[in-house]
Amino acid sequence: MFLEILKSQERTTVKRQIKLSIKAHLPRSALILLLLLAICAIPFALAQSGSRGTNNRRVVNHAGQSRLPTKIIGPLRIPAFQILPVPIVPAAVLYDQLNNPGSAATSSQEAPDAPAFSDLTADDFVVPAGEIWSVTEVDAAGTYGNGPGPADNFNVFFYQNIGTLPGPQVYSAIAQPYVNNSGVFQVTLTAPAVLGPGRYWVSVQAHMNFTSNGQWFWVERTGRANSAAAWENPGGGQSPPDSCPAPGCPTPCPLCQTWSIRQCCVGSPPGEPDQMFRLIGTIVGATPTPTATGAPSPTATATPTPTATITPSPTATATGTPSASATPTPSATGTPTPAPGACTSYEAESATLAGGAVVLNCPTCSNGQEVGFVGSNSGTLEFNVSAATSGNYSVTICYLNGDAVRYALLSVNGGAGSPVSFPSTGSFQTVGSIQRTVTLNAGNNTLKFDNPIVGNWAPDFDRIQFNCPTCAAATLGNLSTRSFVQTGDDVMIGGFIVRGGGLKRVIIRAIGPELSQYGIPDPLQNPTLELHDGTGALIASNNDWQHTIIGGIITSDQVQQILNTGHAPGDPNESAIVANLLAGNYTATVRGGNSTMGVALVEVYDLNQFSGSFLSNVSTRSFVQTGDNVMIGGFIVQGTQSRRIIVRAIGPELGQYGVPDPLHDPTLELHDGSGALIASNNNWQHTMIGGIITQNQVQDIQNSGHAPADASESAIIATLPPGNYTAIVRGVNNTTGVALVEAYDLD
């Protein structure tokens, strides 16, 4: 049901508020980032051995099944070394009000074709004493109405608090890129909003023409935190509704050309005082805890498009159906769907097992265990889960399957089972995932897996989870590397591996000109990008992302796809490729057009962190200079647990692969997300105690199977909690040469 407002002067209908059905699934928000560091690699593949027959099963100790790493030579005949990528956006939830959806939504839109109806909705939050927040992403639950959308981009504003309403504006970001993630609009800020302790208001405003695209509405929230939401319509085009059901509001509602209580301006339901939103970023001067809420929301520097005057606009009351008109109107639809909260995981070994189902050892699973022998009309696995409100939820099922496909019935709260197919993950030691939507009641629920056909088995189960970024207990993700790109053999070469089952959708970018805004001297003015597969074959290329090069795996124009990712480069001379990749090794090569040189960034964003595959084992080879032109690699440890990795800086041994001018004595530094130095090494056979390194590591490095071949090369072993990390490679005594920075996952 829509609430309509009559605009008397033009006899047109304007909607400020709508009843809606919101599917607010938050795959994490998280988080994706742009710290101008990256990872490139000439990768290796892990060949995993061990499989189990489809029907003839027996209890085995999975820990005894071997997994043998196999080195693979890349297109440039360099061994596949792995590297750590640098995050581009900190993945920490600073404030979360993305829950308890209401039944209505309020318009918040800048409409260039109807400026009198432009409006703003805002809600408040508190930065605690002693903290300084650097906000890099704002997520808001929303929906389109009176038109199909999409929004061109979004405006984000922060205000000081005055009494119970927004006061002076303290931050403004126009034409920001966004991703619509199942009704959660994840808006990336090209420049962070830095806020000290105190109460603030945030306003999220879509920029879009009403006549062609309709309106955008911000979903209301039941329950109240701090003050009730505010709204204004400076142009006065939206007439007030006839009545204001919210307690304490005048009748009729006020016109609200300046900030006023939203419920009194638009006549929204009395039990929906707030808006649904979330703030992501870092706590300045402290190491942020990575957000456990869903998937990093892709964020990157995008080219801002000009936008019209910012004006707030609520939504009116009056019941009716949407009618086409030249004025914006709020949009509503169906029944609200509860938005998931923080990442919640349920381990299979802690669930209820019956029949022949048993707990097995699984070194690659969360907590080192899994549940097998579910099915064959005997074994069952039942999870007890809790939901804050009734509605539809997306559940991620983390499983292992070494066969072509397996099946199970999924029963919710004792209902009839729905068939679920589980594609192969490659082996019974590789965790993959699928997602299904389940309808849960408020409170306790049961999810039961079985297979009633004798001799047919379900897959092995690691766990189920809601709103978590990946099924791996932890993975390396969001890879990037920054270095000085030269010509010939001294271009920048990055590699990565896709592991697991199913396709992995990624965007690969080569960034140059826009680095200058971050104070980086001598950026590469026209970077070109090539993508090679594990055989060295060229499978995609790009020079200037606004002009697609058709060929290989690219079969159609990609400009709109790149824009839709939220990671469109900020300069038309920069390059990007969107690709759906099978498991395997890939190499990205960055050159300068017409053999030009300069500093560039190569990076890979995971566009579907909830798929069964994931990015892994990354590295970059480039020419290391001095000062600002050393090699800087970055990566994120994603997931819910710590990950044991080895980071290496390789130089002298590159000579045996025909690489000219190798760096003869590379040093290595490891920094955390706050920039603090947490470990360093120069010559791996001599451990440097300090930071997270508390004892001699030489034997551990040898035992890892990844000890450098030359005593002058460097290595660090670390068990790292989820978060952002940066590896910096320099030459001793300011020497220069070609080096490789890489990271291997040891778990």
Side-chain angles (χ1 to χ4, degrees), residues 413-644:
N413 291 327
S418 300
V420 180
S421 61
F422 295 85
S424 176
T425 62
S427 80
F428 282 101
Q429 294 181 341
T430 301
V431 179
S433 67
I434 60 173
Q435 284 186 299
R436 289 294 182 270
T437 299
V438 293
T439 302
L440 302 180
N441 301 323
N444 295 327
N445 299 265
T446 61
L447 273 65
K448 181 179 179 180
F449 294 93
D450 71 332
N451 187 323
I453 301 175
V454 174
N456 283 4
W457 299 96
D460 290 356
F461 293 91
D462 179 13
R463 64 195 184 280
I464 63 172
Q465 52 192 25
F466 297 85
N467 201 37
C468 302
T470 175
C471 262
T475 58
L476 301 180
N478 303 345
L479 323 173
S480 64
T481 302
R482 192 194 89 191
S483 71
F484 192 85
V485 176
Q486 300 195 52
T487 58
D489 290 322
D490 295 333
V491 296
M492 183 160 57
I493 305 168
F496 59 95
I497 297 176
V498 174
R499 292 175 56 193
L503 293 173
K504 172 56 61 185
R505 185 169 177 82
V506 300
I507 182 171
I508 306 161
R509 312 194 321 163
I511 302 300
E514 66 183 271
L515 297 181
S516 59
Q517 64 183 287
Y518 299 98
I520 296 173
D522 199 16
L524 187 62
Q525 294 303 316
N526 186 20
T528 67
L529 180 62
E530 296 176 359
L531 180 62
H532 298 257
D533 65 15
T535 69
L538 178 66
I539 60 174
S541 63
N542 184 252
N543 178 23
D544 305 341
W545 69 274
Q546 294 178 355
H547 300 281
T548 301
I549 298 177
I550 304 294
I553 61 174
I554 300 180
T555 58
S556 61
D557 189 273
Q558 290 203 325
V559 174
Q560 190 59 51
Q561 293 181 51
I562 293 170
L563 288 168
N564 292 344
T565 68
H567 294 290
D571 190 283
N573 289 322
E574 295 168 331
S575 300
I577 294 169
V578 173
N580 295 309
L581 302 176
L582 293 166
N585 308 327
Y586 298 91
T587 302
T589 303
V590 177
R591 295 182 172 88
N594 298 320
S595 296
T596 52
M597 299 187 296
V599 178
L601 185 74
V602 62
E603 50 195 357
V604 183
Y605 289 91
D606 185 344
L607 298 180
N608 183 10
Q609 296 186 338
F610 285 92
S611 69
S613 55
F614 54 94
L615 299 178
S616 174
N617 301 354
V618 294
S619 62
T620 303
R621 196 197 89 185
S622 187
F623 194 88
V624 176
Q625 298 197 34
T626 60
D628 291 325
N629 295 331
V630 296
M631 185 158 56
I632 306 170
F635 66 96
I636 303 176
V637 175
Q638 295 176 326
T640 58
Q641 299 182 15
S642 295
R643 205 73 178 165
R644 190 168 184 260

Side-chain angles (χ1 to χ4, degrees), residues 56 85 124 146 227 319 336 384 394 455 503 538 556 584 611 639 695 710:
N56 183 17
D124 60 341
N146 295 321
S227 299
T319 313
N384 291 312
S394 180
L503 293 173
L538 178 66
S556 61
S611 69
Q695 61 185 19
D710 191 282

Side-chain angles (χ1 to χ4, degrees), residues 313-337:
S313 106
T315 88
T317 120
T319 313
T321 45
S323 59
S325 69
T327 24
T329 81
S331 117
T333 279
T335 320
T337 303

Side-chain angles (χ1 to χ4, degrees), residues 635-729:
F635 66 96
I636 303 176
V637 175
Q638 295 176 326
T640 58
Q641 299 182 15
S642 295
R643 205 73 178 165
R644 190 168 184 260
I645 62 167
I646 182 172
V647 188
R648 312 195 318 168
I650 302 300
E653 67 183 270
L654 297 180
Q656 63 184 289
Y657 299 101
V659 176
D661 198 15
L663 186 63
H664 290 294
D665 192 0
T667 67
L668 178 63
E669 295 178 0
L670 183 61
H671 296 255
D672 65 14
S674 71
L677 178 66
I678 59 174
S680 61
N681 183 253
N682 177 26
N683 304 339
W684 68 274
Q685 294 179 354
H686 300 280
T687 301
M688 298 176 67
I689 304 295
I692 61 173
I693 301 179
T694 58
Q695 61 185 19
N696 190 290
Q697 292 199 327
V698 175
Q699 190 60 52
D700 289 342
I701 293 172
Q702 291 175 331
N703 294 342
S704 73
H706 298 292
D710 191 282
S712 296
E713 295 169 330
S714 301
I716 295 168
I717 286 183
T719 299
L720 300 175
N724 309 327
Y725 299 91
T726 302
I728 299 177
V729 177

